Amino acid sequence: MTFGATIFGCQGTTLSAGEASFFREAAPFGFILFNRNLEDEDQIRSLCDALRDAVGRDAPILIDQEGGRVQRLRPPLASEWLPPLDDVIRYGANAPKAMYLRYRIIAAELMALGIDANCAPMVDLAVDETHEFLKNRCYSNDLQTVIKVGRAVAGGLLDGGVLPVLKHIPGHGRAVTDSHLDLPVVATNGATLREQDFAAFTALNDIPMGMTAHITYSAIDDRPATLSPKMMGLIRDEIGFEGLIMTDDISMKALTGSLAELSRLSIDAGCDVILHCNGQMGEMEDVAGAAGAMSDAAQRRAEAALACRRSPDPVDISHLQAQLEALLNGTVNDA
């Protein structure tokens, strides 16, 4: 079965007949959930079942569950978490172990609801000027810490049966504007970008899925990375990322043009999948028409990503939480 080159959201807590019919025809690779879709455990599981039934297969269902401000599921549906940077700081040398446990818990909570992909790890390297919308979502301003924590986050998710999505390729940390509202332009020279920002993604280039950055790196190309064949070539050839690449949300204000045009340009640049999040039917129809079906290469990458899903060993979440607490106490005692 060939997948549509799309990942879509939906409007509410249940799937309408019109949405089900559209998804059946468009055959999106997967789906993504937001606050508007999340009510209670039974409802979320039923919605996930309905989405998969609509396409007739075990399609991946994504969510943004980083912790802190970007956390779609909150108590009583899931644990509450500090922003990632706050936890990395407070766990200190134990941060990689702690973040593995944190995301192993997150994975268990997601799988219990029928959700099997999480838009993390986010290995954008923080700098002094990083915009506040991103700063505390980062793991560190130290490259090696970012790499170690990113690997731990991915490992916790994968061990819990949840596919990780590496973001935002090739690096969003130097953005000084919010890409939800404007297009960030990064003027840093190419050598520095390769030695720092891009290097985090090179070290984690075996993660099965990744998400682009809606950013222009003016030292390399004047087009946003999502729309740039040159940048997408760099991601594949220099960074060496071989997994499935989805765009960041194609409807974000960083990109200008019609959604159909932006979707086609993204595919032509080298993206495998168009991510469209707001669930607006007219927009989804435009995106699906422009994106079309996956290319043969994208289909192979999609199938390889899905093959990374595994049945996790059962875990006792309270035991994992106790391990986290012990790590924190150990850090405090060592200070």
Side-chain angles (χ1 to χ4, degrees):
M1 177 185 294
T2 301
F3 306 137
T6 49
I7 295 171
F8 285 132
C10 61
Q11 273 291 289
T13 55
T14 60
L15 200 62
S16 72
E19 287 173 323
S21 177
F22 168 71
F23 292 146
R24 192 172 299 113
E25 179 68 24
F29 168 67
F31 302 95
I32 187 165
L33 301 182
F34 286 86
N35 296 28
R36 65 181 183 270
N37 309 123
L38 309 170
E39 190 172 78
D40 59 54
E41 292 181 6
D42 289 342
Q43 171 269 318
I44 295 168
R45 284 191 287 265
S46 294
L47 178 59
C48 290
D49 288 343
L51 289 166
R52 291 181 170 118
D53 286 346
V55 293
R57 54 183 160 81
D58 189 16
I61 296 180
L62 291 72
I63 200 165
D64 289 292
Q65 191 74 354
E66 297 175 8
R69 181 165 40 84
V70 181
Q71 179 172 338
R72 311 305 182 199
L73 292 162
R74 296 187 181 276
L77 292 171
S79 303
E80 187 74 30
W81 301 101
L82 291 173
L85 182 58
D86 292 11
D87 258 357
V88 171
I89 290 171
R90 74 185 187 127
Y91 281 100
N94 286 327
K97 294 179 183 177
M99 295 297 275
Y100 172 88
L101 292 168
R102 167 175 162 150
Y103 282 87
R104 183 65 183 84
I105 293 170
I106 288 173
E109 293 174 338
L110 294 181
M111 287 290 284
L113 297 171
I115 301 165
D116 63 355
N118 190 11
C119 297
M122 195 191 85
V123 298
D124 302 319
L125 187 69
V127 296
D128 291 343
E129 299 81 14
T130 302
H131 192 278
E132 62 182 358
F133 102 91
L134 194 80
K135 188 76 173 268
N136 66 3
R137 298 167 58 194
C138 298
Y139 302 150
S140 180
N141 59 3
D142 174 72
L143 175 61
Q144 292 307 313
T145 299
V146 169
I147 291 170
K148 290 176 183 177
V149 171
R151 179 62 69 188
V153 168
L157 292 172
L158 283 166
D159 286 352
V162 171
L163 289 174
V165 179
L166 184 69
K167 63 185 187 186
H168 303 85
I169 296 176
H172 209 303
R174 294 183 191 272
V176 297
T177 56
D178 183 347
S179 58
H180 293 87
L181 306 174
D182 296 291
L183 175 64
V185 177
V186 172
T188 305
N189 68 76
T192 299
L193 289 171
R194 288 174 169 86
E195 291 169 5
Q196 294 291 314
D197 306 66
F198 300 172
F201 293 90
T202 302
L204 299 170
N205 62 14
D206 59 334
I207 289 177
M209 298 194 294
M211 178 187 294
T212 66
H214 293 333
I215 292 182
T216 292
Y217 305 87
S218 58
I220 300 171
D221 195 5
D222 59 2
R223 288 168 288 189
T226 304
L227 309 179
S228 167
K230 185 178 291 186
M231 289 303 304
M232 295 305 299
L234 182 150
I235 290 167
R236 292 298 190 194
D237 299 333
E238 291 191 36
I239 291 175
F241 187 80
E242 296 182 353
L244 186 78
I245 296 181
M246 66 189 72
T247 69
D248 204 345
D249 184 6
I250 201 68
S251 65
M252 288 166 62
K253 303 304 182 185
L255 304 180
T256 57
S258 73
L259 293 181
E261 177 187 18
L262 294 173
S263 298
R264 190 68 252 160
L265 288 172
S266 300
I267 296 293
D268 289 346
C271 296
D272 297 315
V273 181
I274 307 300
L275 174 65
H276 179 273
C277 295
N278 67 28
Q280 295 293 327
M281 180 60 73
E283 293 187 7
M284 292 194 295
E285 289 171 342
D286 289 344
V287 170
M294 282 189 178
S295 68
D296 291 345
Q299 182 81 16
R300 288 193 295 272
R301 288 189 279 263
E303 291 171 353
L306 295 178
C308 293
R309 293 189 292 193
R310 63 188 71 160
S311 297
D313 293 331
V315 292
D316 181 341
I317 289 180
S318 63
H319 178 63
L320 297 180
Q321 291 169 332
Q323 291 182 59
L324 267 176
E325 187 65 26
L327 282 175
L328 183 59
N329 290 339
T331 301
V332 172
N333 292 338
D334 290 343

